[in-house]
């Protein structure tokens, strides 16, 4: 494995999607090894013994963990194409701030909407709508969050678009309430790197609905 680039992956993970998109944007060849997230492989436990989660990028036998850290690593190692993070220190700090906001808010609230019901689900929905309002303002009239180029914040957020049918089922009308984010998502999905890395939203929705049925059948 010394000279290989291996991604420990799972098709539905938005965090693994980030890494797949980043590698595709840079045009880097790698081996994807799908993981069973219910039964971690020996390799995953060896490469990520602390958190024991995907994604893990293994470069020259050395593991890099956590999706946004992996994306920054890819950006720093393979500099032959446009950078994901801006050169200006302030702009770079802003990009990291919004990526962290997406990480801590959008994905956690989206999951909470999926694995809860009643008042808890409604509260998560309201908070998620507030987050999208902030992101709509931050995006403004720019084609991408960083300006003219697809970058770090776009990479952080775009995998959430495959959950869009679930958001709609919960009463969030992305096209109607957040037209700028909706148009941005369409723009991102037109990129080859994104289109081949983010699974079909209908497939994701069907999987989420079936998994949710199993989850609540246990209660």
């Amino acid at each position: 494995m010394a000279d290989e680039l291996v991604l420990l992956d799972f098709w539905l993970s938005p965090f693994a999607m980030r890494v797949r998109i980043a590698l595709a944007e840079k045009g880097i060849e790698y081996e994807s090894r799908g993981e069973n997230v219910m039964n971690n492989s020996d390799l995953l436990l060896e490469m990520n013994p602390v958190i024991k989660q995907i994604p893990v990028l293994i470069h020259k036998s050395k593991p890099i963990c956590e999706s946004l850290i992996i994306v920054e690593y890819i950006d720093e190692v393979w500099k032959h194409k446009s950078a994901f993070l801006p050169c200006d220190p302030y702009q770079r700090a802003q990009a990291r701030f919004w990526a962290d906001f997406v990480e801590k808010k959008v994905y956690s609230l989206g999951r909470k909407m999926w694995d809860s019901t009643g008042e808890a689900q409604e509260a998560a929905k309201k908070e998620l709508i507030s987050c999208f309002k902030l992101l709509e303002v931050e995006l403004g009239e720019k084609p991408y969050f960083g300006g003219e180029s697809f970058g770090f914040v776009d990479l952080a957020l775009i995998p959430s678009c495959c959950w869009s049918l679930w958001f709609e089922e919960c009463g969030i009308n992305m096209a109607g309430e957040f037209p700028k984010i909706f148009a941005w998502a369409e723009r991102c999905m037109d990129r080859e790197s994104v289109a081949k890395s983010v699974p079909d939203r209908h497939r994701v929705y069907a999987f989420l609905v079936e998994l949710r049925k199993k989850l609540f059948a246990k209660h």
Side-chain angles (χ1 to χ4, degrees):
M1 191 186 290
D3 296 320
E4 294 179 358
L5 187 65
V6 177
L7 175 63
L8 303 186
D9 199 356
F10 177 60
W11 74 274
L12 186 62
S13 167
F15 310 110
M17 290 176 211
R18 290 171 175 171
V19 181
R20 296 200 296 266
I21 294 168
L23 290 166
E25 281 285 325
K26 296 284 187 174
I28 303 166
E29 294 185 1
Y30 65 98
E31 177 188 351
S32 174
R33 296 190 186 179
E35 287 283 330
N36 178 353
V37 294
M38 304 303 292
N39 184 21
N40 291 334
S41 68
D42 291 341
L43 181 59
L44 175 59
L45 295 175
E46 176 189 351
M47 292 293 157
N48 191 1
V50 177
I51 302 177
K52 302 180 178 66
Q53 292 179 347
I54 56 98
V56 179
L57 186 68
I58 307 170
H59 184 211
K60 297 181 179 179
S61 297
K62 296 178 180 179
I64 305 96
C65 307
E66 296 295 288
S67 62
L68 291 178
I69 293 172
I70 296 172
V71 170
E72 286 206 51
Y73 179 85
I74 291 168
D75 206 25
E76 291 172 2
V77 173
W78 290 279
K79 299 181 179 181
H80 61 292
K81 289 196 174 181
S82 296
F84 301 137
L85 281 161
C87 295
D88 179 77
Y90 177 76
Q91 292 179 356
R92 192 161 60 244
Q94 288 298 104
R96 286 177 174 142
F97 169 84
W98 284 108
D100 186 64
F101 175 82
V102 167
E103 180 88 353
K104 291 176 179 175
K105 289 290 188 178
V106 174
Y107 289 102
S108 62
L109 290 167
R111 183 181 177 90
K112 193 176 291 184
M113 275 201 330
W114 173 78
D115 66 10
S116 64
T117 58
E119 292 182 2
Q121 187 183 60
E122 188 63 23
K125 170 188 163 183
K126 287 180 179 178
E127 191 173 351
L128 185 58
I129 287 172
S130 296
C131 291
F132 281 134
K133 286 179 179 178
L134 291 170
L135 288 165
E136 180 93 345
V137 172
E138 174 61 21
L139 178 62
E141 302 303 323
K142 305 188 295 291
Y144 299 104
F145 278 93
E148 297 299 317
S149 302
F150 181 82
F152 196 61
V153 183
D154 307 297
L155 269 163
L157 182 60
I158 192 57
S160 68
C161 75
C162 70
W163 282 58
S164 61
L165 290 178
W166 178 253
F167 292 162
E168 289 173 16
E169 167 130 334
C170 293
I172 301 178
N173 180 356
M174 295 301 295
E177 296 180 60
F178 309 106
K180 292 175 182 176
I181 291 180
F182 185 83
W184 162 85
E186 295 285 299
R187 194 175 304 118
C188 290
M189 287 303 299
D190 284 339
R191 300 180 74 85
E192 183 182 355
S193 62
V194 178
K196 74 178 187 179
S197 303
V198 175
D200 177 75
R201 63 181 189 150
H202 294 91
R203 180 189 176 199
V204 171
Y205 175 76
F207 186 90
L208 291 174
V209 168
E210 193 61 32
L211 197 60
R212 181 176 160 88
K213 286 179 184 176
K214 293 178 182 178
L215 174 69
F216 285 99
K218 296 177 182 179
H219 291 254

